[in-house]
Amino acid sequence: DPGRVTVRRLNRAEYDNTIRDLLGVDWAPAADFPSDDIGHGFDNIGDVLSVSPVLMERYLAAAETIMAKAIALEPIKANSRHTGAQFTEPAGRIPEVRYRPVFAGSIFTKFKLNDEGEYKLRTRALLGAPDAKWTAARPDDAKAAKGKDGEPIKAALIIDGKEVQAFDVTATDGRKAPTIEHTVTLPAGEHKFEVALKSGGTATKAMLVQYIEVVGPTDSRPAPHRKWLGNVDPKAPDKAVKTREILTKFASAAYRRPATKPEVDRLVQLVQSVEAQGQKWEAGIQFAFQAVLSSPKFIFRLELDDRPDSAEPQAIDEFALASRLSYFLWSSMPDAELTALAEKKQLTGNLDAQVRRMLKDPKAEALVENFAMQWLQLRRLKTYAPDTKTYPAFDDRLRKSMLRETELFVEAIIKEDRSILDLIDADFTFLDARLARHYGIADTNGNRAGQKPTKPGGTQLFGGRYRGERGESEFYRVSLQDRSRGGILTQASVLTVTSNPTRTSPVKRGKWVLEQILGTPPPPAPPNVPELEEAKEGHPLKGTLRQRMEQHRENPACASCHAKMDPMGFAFEQFDGVGGFRTTDGGSPIDPSGVLPDGKKFAGPAELKAMLKEKKELFARALAEKLLTYATGRGVEYYDKRAIDQIVAGMSKDGFKFSTLCVEVAKSDPFRMRRGLKQSE
């Protein structure tokens, strides 16, 4: 029994990512959508992803806004980025003149280009003979060099360190100096544009540069306009054919399956109705695209069934499989390769290779944010507020560093295809200066500040003084000498969200390990059991937190719940409520030792993590259940036990690698199949 998946809509992250990949832009239109409900720990569960009237209004408004930005109805003037030469780099004391003298080397500026396309790099330069103070660096000054020494200055335009055009500087009159221009195709992003003097400059003869300018892209239409409409001429005889082609391609991509002829016919009619009102062809396409983005076929992940009356379980079709796979690993729509395999009905036979390919793609970072952060319950850290009097070191910068450490760590496990057991304990992590100071780590070899290094060398990035904010957000991979910090269990992010605002909570930490790591949640607390009160003068519960908890457990009703949770929680008691290391609590030494329910003893977090790694099949099963829940959009049921057993067995044969976990989930029956009509739970 593969179970039944409720038809689910795109959640906010999936909507943004799908718009990004469909249109080639990163606009995040779902930012003002209502928050998605949570089910089974995740925000992509079909049973809870309802559509409220407010959300429906936001969908319609978003479609209109997106298309207004995506398709231009009027010509757009190409963007110009202009820097006067006196404001270029390298910076220096340059007088207020129109032209900057260059005696040797080059001057440059950097521009960030928002779109890929064809750009024009321009500059103007002439010969000049400025004095030592550069007071004569004016184009019409009587001291112009007029080709002194009879040798022109040879110069060049350089983009990102590569020479793209050489030119001679011969003009001596600024009014007659030609504009030097080079056309080049560049990707989006920041680029460095230089004007360099190659030869001919002397102490009395310089190249006088007026400006550096970049104009473009030449085709100034928005990127989605260029991507989908190309260069169609609305007056051409084949416009109707082109219109149908465009609408077919767009609807097929948006619906994640081939659009049917009736679906395209209705979209063509929308274009024609807009044109009949006297509006432009582009306005008609814009309106039809808007209709596609408002359609349930886009908003919902519909999976068509060509055998709805089948009594037996059956495989979902290749396009539905491509969609499930892409939203599982990328939280977005299928790419061209997945779609092509689905069209050829070859995706099922290539699942293993496709999963491994997709995990190497940068879009797989969605697994970190949308799966790992929810599995580890770390999204709540963004709004968590520890008591500032108890933990004055905690601030928003430390909060962001905590989250980023875990994100980079999990990302490394995925990208390097490491064993999932490294999530429990590893010999590395990622730190910036702020978090390294919080942990007391001095360098990238993990040596502690103020102590004799246990291992020489390492990049000295964190020791010594901290100079303001510069470099504080730059993260470095750090080798850990003290294994008590390795793995997610002892990262500050997890330790903070499993604490109370004013103190640690062994109960929350132990419960978190049982639920998220071992998949064996403790029984619910009996009703009417009071919370552990804070220690106060004259209070009957005194001493360290461990001592007060032991007194609390003397109540038989409390002991039944705490027997499993407390030992694991106390293992991390040397880490305070925001993950900082300590050795005492209330003036008394902290005892991080404990005994597990099976009788095994440990002396601290390092030994406990080693014991947890030995429970590899238990952890693998717990993680497999979480990932299968996330991948299918429904909770794991009793009839999924066989599929979970197969996933764990497949992992154990391959060293519990993360990629194998994903492959086994993708090949499982709950992921690839649908329940038969006559089957019941």
Side-chain angles (χ1 to χ4, degrees):
D1 183 0
R4 177 180 290 113
V5 176
T6 301
V7 172
R8 47 182 161 154
R9 63 168 173 81
L10 303 178
N11 64 20
R12 293 195 300 176
E14 292 168 342
Y15 187 95
D16 280 342
N17 293 343
T18 303
I19 291 295
R20 175 200 67 198
D21 294 339
L22 179 64
L23 299 177
V25 293
D26 198 2
W27 289 335
D32 64 344
F33 288 7
S35 297
D36 298 309
D37 290 329
I38 305 296
H40 302 284
F42 298 101
D43 63 1
N44 67 341
I45 304 301
D47 286 338
V48 301
L49 287 175
S50 58
V51 180
S52 65
V54 171
L55 180 56
M56 194 65 242
E57 291 176 2
R58 298 288 168 83
Y59 279 140
L60 296 172
E64 185 175 358
T65 301
I66 290 168
M67 281 302 118
K69 296 169 64 177
I71 297 180
L73 303 184
E74 300 293 338
I76 300 175
K77 183 179 179 181
N79 189 24
S80 175
R81 299 161 180 83
H82 182 100
T83 298
Q86 66 268 37
F87 302 113
T88 56
E89 299 288 341
R93 298 185 63 184
I94 304 170
E96 293 297 324
V97 294
R98 290 181 60 200
Y99 286 68
R100 176 171 179 174
V102 180
F103 298 92
S106 66
I107 59 173
F108 68 89
T109 189
K110 294 181 180 180
F111 294 124
K112 183 178 180 180
L113 309 180
N114 296 324
D115 296 306
E116 178 181 359
E118 186 180 80
Y119 290 84
K120 293 181 179 180
L121 171 60
R122 295 172 178 165
T123 190
R124 293 182 77 233
L126 67 154
L127 292 173
D131 60 21
K133 295 182 179 180
W134 295 356
T135 56
R138 296 180 182 276
D140 303 317
D141 196 281
K143 295 182 179 180
K146 300 184 183 301
K148 186 175 180 180
D149 299 332
E151 180 185 351
I153 283 181
K154 295 188 177 296
L157 297 177
I158 298 175
I159 300 177
D160 295 331
K162 180 181 179 180
E163 181 177 320
V164 295
Q165 181 172 325
F167 62 94
D168 292 342
V169 181
T170 57
T172 57
D173 186 340
R175 291 167 295 188
K176 298 180 181 180
T179 297
I180 307 300
E181 180 177 287
H182 179 77
T183 301
V184 62
T185 299
L186 295 171
E190 187 175 74
H191 298 274
K192 181 179 179 181
F193 302 94
E194 294 181 74
V195 178
L197 190 152
K198 297 175 66 176
S199 65
T202 67
T204 59
K205 184 173 66 173
M207 172 175 64
L208 307 182
V209 182
Q210 184 180 8
Y211 61 82
I212 297 177
E213 181 180 59
V214 176
V215 179
T218 305
D219 186 348
S220 57
R221 298 175 300 170
H225 192 135
R226 300 195 303 270
K227 175 180 178 179
W228 289 105
L229 273 64
N231 295 311
V232 175
D233 183 359
K235 298 180 181 179
D238 64 345
K239 184 192 71 171
V241 175
K242 293 291 186 182
T243 299
R244 180 170 289 275
E245 288 179 0
I246 291 169
L247 294 175
T248 301
K249 290 180 180 179
F250 185 79
S252 297
Y255 298 162
R256 282 88 65 180
R257 58 163 175 78
T260 64
K261 185 178 183 301
E263 289 170 338
V264 177
D265 288 343
R266 287 193 288 272
L267 295 174
V268 170
Q269 291 171 8
L270 285 178
V271 177
Q272 293 171 345
S273 68
V274 171
E275 288 186 293
Q277 297 172 14
Q279 299 186 53
K280 291 185 174 183
W281 173 79
E282 290 84 355
I285 295 291
Q286 185 186 75
F287 190 59
F289 280 13
Q290 184 180 328
V292 170
L293 298 188
S294 303
S295 170
K297 299 163 189 174
F298 171 76
I299 294 171
F300 286 84
R301 290 170 52 186
L302 300 172
E303 298 176 351
L304 301 184
D305 187 355
D306 59 349
R307 290 169 290 171
D309 298 327
S310 173
E312 299 297 324
Q314 57 178 299
I316 59 176
D317 72 28
E318 295 278 283
F319 291 101
L321 180 60
S323 186
R324 282 196 184 187
L325 196 60
S326 64
Y327 282 100
F328 165 33
L329 300 176
W330 290 344
S331 295
S332 186
M333 61 185 283
D335 66 356
E337 186 167 338
L338 283 175
T339 302
L341 286 172
E343 289 175 346
K344 299 174 185 176
K345 300 187 183 302
Q346 296 177 355
L347 180 55
T348 300
N350 289 277
L351 266 183
D352 191 307
Q354 284 303 304
V355 169
R356 297 182 191 280
R357 173 187 75 88
M358 295 171 71
L359 287 173
K360 295 177 182 178
D361 192 285
K363 289 189 286 188
E365 292 179 8
L367 269 177
V368 178
E369 173 59 29
N370 300 323
F371 169 70
M373 292 296 105
Q374 293 191 86
W375 162 51
L376 299 174
Q377 301 179 346
L378 293 183
R379 285 188 172 180
R380 60 188 180 185
L381 181 58
K382 296 177 181 179
T383 56
Y384 185 77
D387 182 65
T388 54
K389 292 183 179 179
T390 307
Y391 306 110
F394 187 87
D395 55 22
D396 281 338
R397 286 192 297 112
L398 183 58
R399 183 202 313 273
K400 292 176 182 177
S401 295
M402 289 176 176
L403 281 170
R404 191 60 183 148
E405 176 194 16
T406 305
E407 289 172 349
L408 291 172
F409 178 74
V410 176
E411 186 178 314
I413 298 294
I414 296 173
K415 285 186 174 180
E416 298 170 18
D417 196 15
R418 301 174 71 99
S419 167
I420 62 169
L421 301 178
D422 287 346
L423 290 165
I424 296 177
D425 190 20
D427 60 359
F428 73 97
T429 190
F430 294 85
L431 301 177
D432 64 354
R434 183 72 178 85
L435 197 55
R437 178 169 51 190
H438 185 62
Y439 285 174
I441 292 178
D443 60 31
T444 56
N445 270 338
N447 294 309
R448 297 191 66 79
Q451 295 182 0
K452 184 178 180 180
T454 56
K455 183 178 179 182
T459 305
Q460 300 294 323
L461 298 168
F462 307 125
R465 293 183 299 154
Y466 294 87
R467 299 180 179 179
E469 304 297 322
R470 170 167 281 184
E472 296 253 324
S473 62
E474 189 169 0
F475 276 76
Y476 300 89
R477 190 177 183 125
V478 176
S479 299
L480 295 174
Q481 307 304 311
D482 181 2
R483 296 299 290 268
S484 64
R485 274 292 182 190
I488 54 177
L489 282 73
T490 46
Q491 290 180 357
S493 56
V494 171
L495 294 167
T496 300
V497 298
T498 54
S499 296
N500 291 327
T502 58
R503 64 168 175 83
T504 60
S505 176
V507 175
K508 289 182 178 179
R509 289 177 175 177
K511 183 173 181 285
W512 186 92
V513 173
L514 289 173
E515 290 181 339
Q516 311 307 321
I517 303 301
L518 299 179
T520 56
N528 304 320
V529 174
E531 292 269 345
L532 178 68
E533 298 184 36
E534 300 294 335
K536 299 178 182 177
E537 192 68 29
H539 195 277
L541 297 182
K542 299 179 181 179
T544 65
L545 183 58
R546 177 187 280 269
Q547 293 168 338
R548 287 185 282 133
M549 289 291 296
E550 289 173 351
Q551 297 172 56
H552 179 72
R553 286 201 303 271
E554 290 178 0
N555 182 340
C558 300
S560 62
C561 291
H562 289 273
K564 291 185 177 181
M565 297 183 289
D566 290 6
M568 293 187 182
F570 279 119
F572 307 108
E573 190 61 11
Q574 286 183 316
F575 302 102
D576 65 21
V578 292
F581 187 79
R582 60 181 183 168
T583 57
T584 62
D585 175 29
S588 301
I590 293 175
D591 178 11
S593 65
V595 181
L596 296 179
D598 61 5
K600 290 186 178 180
K601 298 179 180 180
F602 58 87
E607 290 187 11
L608 175 61
K609 288 189 292 184
M611 291 179 181
L612 293 176
K613 288 186 74 171
E614 291 176 359
K615 301 177 182 292
K616 49 190 176 184
E617 292 204 355
L618 196 59
F619 174 53
R621 176 173 294 275
L623 185 55
E625 289 182 358
K626 295 291 185 181
L627 195 61
L628 186 63
T629 297
Y630 175 80
T632 59
R634 67 166 177 84
V636 172
E637 302 291 348
Y638 69 89
Y639 46 77
D640 294 315
K641 181 180 183 301
R642 177 174 172 272
I644 297 293
D645 290 343
Q646 291 177 338
I647 294 171
V648 174
M651 294 170 62
S652 64
K653 295 177 182 177
D654 195 28
F656 294 93
K657 289 184 178 180
F658 188 86
S659 65
T660 304
L661 168 60
C662 294
V663 168
E664 293 297 328
V665 168
K667 292 166 67 175
S668 68
D669 287 350
F671 189 84
R672 294 189 306 105
M673 303 185 73
R674 62 161 52 92
R675 176 182 287 164
L677 180 65
K678 296 182 180 179
Q679 284 186 291
S680 60
E681 296 184 15

